[in-house]
Amino acid sequence: MKNLKNALLLKQLYIQKEIGFCYTSSIPYCDDEPNLSLPHNLEELQKQANSCHLCQLSKSRTNVVFGEGNPKARLMFVGEGPGATEDSMGRPFVGKSGELLTKMIENVLLLKREDVYIANIVKCRPPNNRTPHEEEAYTCLPYLQKQIELIKPQIIVSLGATAYRYLTNDTTGITKIRGTIHTQNGYKLIPTYHPSYLLRNPSAKKEAFEDLKLIKSLL
Ligand code: SF4
């Protein structure tokens, strides 16, 4: 929970700065620091995320988009972050790219959307749909890591470059890495294009279809 601890420490320093401190000589966290472990069930974890203000994305969000789906899913999809529709509804992938993702799940993988679990790297919408900043992604990541730990999927499909980068710490471009299989932390990770990229670049759908066929063969 180093990221969470650092985020809390940074928040406390910003508060001190706002009330007039120019420097501090004391260490804000000492022996009686709060318990920073995250809840060990999805409902409690969601409650905690719903009231999270650990990064600046909390200021502009309408809803926290925790994630949804089968809590015992074998297959999990991870995107970058909520867009406008997701932010207003509090659900992941419910806008135009969500419609495409649902079609991919139902028409190619022959699964129901409720059979899988869908989440994002950050749970609050970045303003103007910008890519999450590094500190935002790393601050939010413990929630996703806990979701993965609790759901225990066999396969995680990372959608787009950002999801792949923060799940693996690898910055290889998505066009190069898509459709490959990476075994880590007890699951197989398969990167593919983000549905919003496919909407902008329909010619890439052929490659995404190949990736989905690979995923289907592994299920
Ligand atoms: S994006 Fe994540 S870390 Fe930032 S406020 Fe939202 S839930 Fe908290």
Side-chain angles (χ1 to χ4, degrees), residues 49 52-58 61 64 122-124 136 139-140 143:
C52 178
H53 294 273
L54 284 174
C55 83
Q56 60 180 345
L57 296 182
S58 65
R61 74 178 178 221
V64 173
V122 291
K123 313 227 171 283
C124 302
E136 295 161 350
T139 302
C140 205
Y143 290 119

Side-chain angles (χ1 to χ4, degrees), residues 137-184:
Y138 281 123
T139 302
C140 205
L141 206 51
Y143 290 119
L144 178 65
Q145 287 165 338
K146 195 71 186 182
Q147 282 172 302
I148 294 170
E149 185 190 321
L150 293 170
I151 295 164
K152 299 186 183 64
Q154 290 171 13
I155 299 173
I156 294 182
V157 180
S158 58
L159 301 166
T162 303
Y164 174 75
R165 173 187 169 185
Y166 289 107
L167 283 168
T168 60
N169 281 321
D170 177 8
T171 54
T172 306
I174 191 68
T175 48
K176 200 167 174 190
I177 206 75
R178 56 144 285 273
T180 51
I181 303 173
H182 308 255
T183 301
Q184 60 176 41

Side-chain angles (χ1 to χ4, degrees), residues 92-104:
F93 284 91
V94 284
K96 284 216 159 17
S97 54
E99 276 173 27
L100 179 56
L101 178 63
T102 305
K103 276 186 194 159
M104 289 156 72

Side-chain angles (χ1 to χ4, degrees), residues 84-126:
T85 315
E86 289 77 11
D87 177 59
S88 68
M89 294 179 69
R91 295 180 56 207
F93 284 91
V94 284
K96 284 216 159 17
S97 54
E99 276 173 27
L100 179 56
L101 178 63
T102 305
K103 276 186 194 159
M104 289 156 72
I105 294 166
E106 293 180 351
N107 298 348
V108 187
L109 298 177
L110 305 179
L111 295 169
K112 291 187 193 133
R113 186 176 152 119
E114 310 86 79
D115 292 337
V116 306
Y117 197 93
I118 305 173
N120 282 304
I121 295 291
V122 291
K123 313 227 171 283
C124 302
R125 183 194 179 201

